Amino acid sequence: MKRLLGLLLAAALATPVLAIEYRTVDAATILYDAPSQRGRKLFVIKRGTPVEMVVHLEGWAKVRDSEGGLAWLETRYLAKRHSVIVTAPRAQVRERADEAAPVVFEAERDVVLDYLETVPGGWLQVRHQDGQTGFVRADQIWGL
């Protein structure tokens, strides 16, 4: 019985965490291949880019970008605010969360938008850096 409980506990601890946490890069910074400034420098990630937190380790975070790339960065460069990035060739941002609503603006692939809230029916309310707000379909963005 103890052995079975031990196996069940080990299996539970080995289960990956399913909660996903997204953050926004607060300042342009270098991404590394390891959690150390001695690691190989991969490239610079620009301010405002959304990333998915994969691992957090003593001042470092392993993050995934919208294209699936993994790298390490210092957590001091991550903000709590949440942004999303357009993955569709062109996303239509509408006045209301409705396909029939007028288009407020269009955002091209790789445009970063501030995430405001999730709306029922597969929509998000977002804000462009120029201040325009509207609703975009969740399947046209990454970072949610």
Side-chain angles (χ1 to χ4, degrees):
M1 183 66 157
K2 277 187 173 181
R3 181 181 159 114
L4 178 59
L5 287 175
L7 290 172
L8 289 174
L9 179 60
L13 292 174
T15 304
V17 177
L18 298 178
I20 297 175
E21 181 181 359
Y22 291 95
R23 294 280 189 88
T24 299
V25 176
D26 202 28
T29 188
I30 299 169
L31 292 177
Y32 296 88
D33 69 345
S36 168
Q37 289 181 348
R38 289 186 231 160
R40 187 170 50 92
K41 296 175 182 177
L42 301 174
F43 58 91
V44 174
I45 190 166
K46 69 180 182 177
R47 180 183 186 275
T49 303
V51 292
E52 176 189 352
M53 298 280 289
V54 177
V55 175
H56 185 264
L57 180 66
E58 297 179 19
W60 289 86
K62 187 171 194 176
V63 297
R64 182 184 336 265
D65 65 17
S66 64
E67 295 176 5
L70 291 169
W72 291 89
L73 61 79
E74 292 179 80
T75 55
R76 65 187 169 122
Y77 293 110
L78 293 173
K80 293 253 186 216
R81 68 185 174 87
H82 191 160
S83 60
V84 294
I85 192 166
V86 176
T87 55
R90 177 175 236 117
Q92 293 184 331
V93 181
R94 299 184 177 274
E95 193 173 281
R96 294 180 314 279
D98 181 347
E99 286 291 341
V103 174
V104 177
F105 66 92
E106 291 186 333
E108 305 235 350
R109 178 183 300 270
D110 296 328
V111 168
V112 173
L113 303 167
D114 290 330
Y115 166 82
L116 300 177
E117 69 176 317
T118 301
V119 179
W123 293 85
L124 305 174
Q125 186 176 23
V126 295
R127 180 178 38 240
H128 190 275
Q129 68 180 5
D130 69 6
Q132 291 181 302
T133 61
F135 298 85
V136 64
R137 295 211 42 89
D139 61 1
Q140 296 181 324
I141 58 93
W142 181 88
L144 184 64

